[in-house]
Amino acid sequence: MIRFDEVRRTFGVLVALEGLTLEVKTGTIYGLLGHNGAGKTTALRIAIGLTVPSSGRVMLSDVDVEADPIRAKAVAGFLPDTPSYYPHMTADSFLAFLGQARGIAEEVWRPRRDQLIERLGLADARHARLADYSFGMLRKTALAGALLHAPPHLLLDEPTAGLDPTSVRVLKDLMLEEAARGATLLVSTHDLDAVAEVANQMGIIHRGKLIRQFAPADVPARAADGSSPLEQLFLEATREAAAAPGAAS
């Protein structure tokens, strides 16, 4: 379970999150939608303990993230929107480093690493330096790092960014498999239809506020003319929020 309780975060005069309250149940894939600057990344960074809320709290099951950020990082996997890496390392050595740093037994992390490298299409480049990787390859390596310790919570920020269609399909399959084993996934995205295919629940965040929640199954299928009802729902919800009395200009 991932729960936000009245989470507020300001950066000077900028309000990034305004009383965000949200609960993602165990085994659920929750897609968090929003424009650039809506607060999605801030929400995920608070949930992993990289950013401290101005008020409110986030719980990862029984872990209070602000009170115990080290344990929070142990029970969650985080894919940032921009991957961090050591340029001189390879995918092999980077994932080995993560497994050792997290205190995972080698007989556990080594086959898990090899499986993820194969699934994510990195096998041919596993011994190449990360400095020579494309952005998409770095994203897949970072995703493998988030999944390596099979955490009960996954926080994925724009997971489809930089991925080719084949890799997006693999990503969606991995998300479904993680949820099936009981992991709870919070996925920030602009890729509405890709996440709608696997999500159980979705929410739209606008200027730091959760303005609408819905089940993807309740959204009609793509129309015959190719238009996306989900895109229309998103645009209508954000327009209404922007035009509401008291909305910031």
Side-chain angles (χ1 to χ4, degrees), residues 109-172:
W109 67 253
R110 184 176 289 277
R112 176 75 166 165
R113 177 196 63 181
D114 294 346
Q115 176 195 44
L116 288 167
I117 283 176
E118 188 68 36
R119 287 286 301 276
L120 290 166
L122 295 169
D124 290 343
R126 66 187 298 167
H127 300 302
R129 293 191 320 148
L130 296 180
D132 299 324
Y133 273 24
S134 67
F135 179 73
M137 293 168 71
L138 289 172
R139 292 279 288 169
K140 290 192 284 187
T141 303
L143 176 62
L147 296 171
L148 185 65
H149 56 308
H153 312 88
L154 282 166
L155 306 162
L156 309 179
D157 197 359
E158 299 294 348
T160 62
L163 300 188
D164 58 75
T166 299
S167 297
V168 171
R169 179 67 264 169
V170 172
L171 168 69
K172 290 187 284 190

Side-chain angles (χ1 to χ4, degrees), residues 1 6 13 42 48 62 80 84 202:
M1 177 271 294
E6 290 292 329
V13 298
T42 299
I48 196 64
D62 62 345
S84 299
M202 301 184 83

Side-chain angles (χ1 to χ4, degrees), residues 10-98:
T10 60
F11 298 95
V13 298
L14 174 66
V15 179
L17 290 179
E18 180 62 74
L20 177 62
T21 294
L22 168 65
E23 182 171 322
V24 185
K25 297 185 182 300
T26 300
T28 294
I29 302 173
Y30 189 104
L32 187 63
L33 315 178
H35 292 299
N36 290 334
K40 306 186 304 296
T41 292
T42 299
L44 266 63
R45 286 179 62 84
I46 289 173
I48 196 64
L50 295 176
T51 298
V52 177
S54 302
S55 61
R57 70 172 184 172
V58 178
M59 300 292 296
L60 300 178
S61 296
D62 62 345
V63 179
D64 184 319
V65 175
E66 185 177 2
D68 197 350
I70 294 176
R71 188 172 172 218
K73 291 176 178 64
V75 300
F78 178 53
L79 175 67
D81 57 347
T82 302
S84 299
Y85 62 98
Y86 297 102
H88 64 282
M89 284 187 167
T90 65
D92 245 24
S93 62
F94 177 68
L95 295 173
F97 164 74
L98 289 181

Side-chain angles (χ1 to χ4, degrees), residues 214-230:
F214 56 93
D218 296 334
V219 179
R222 187 176 289 273
D225 63 2
S227 62
S228 167
L230 178 57

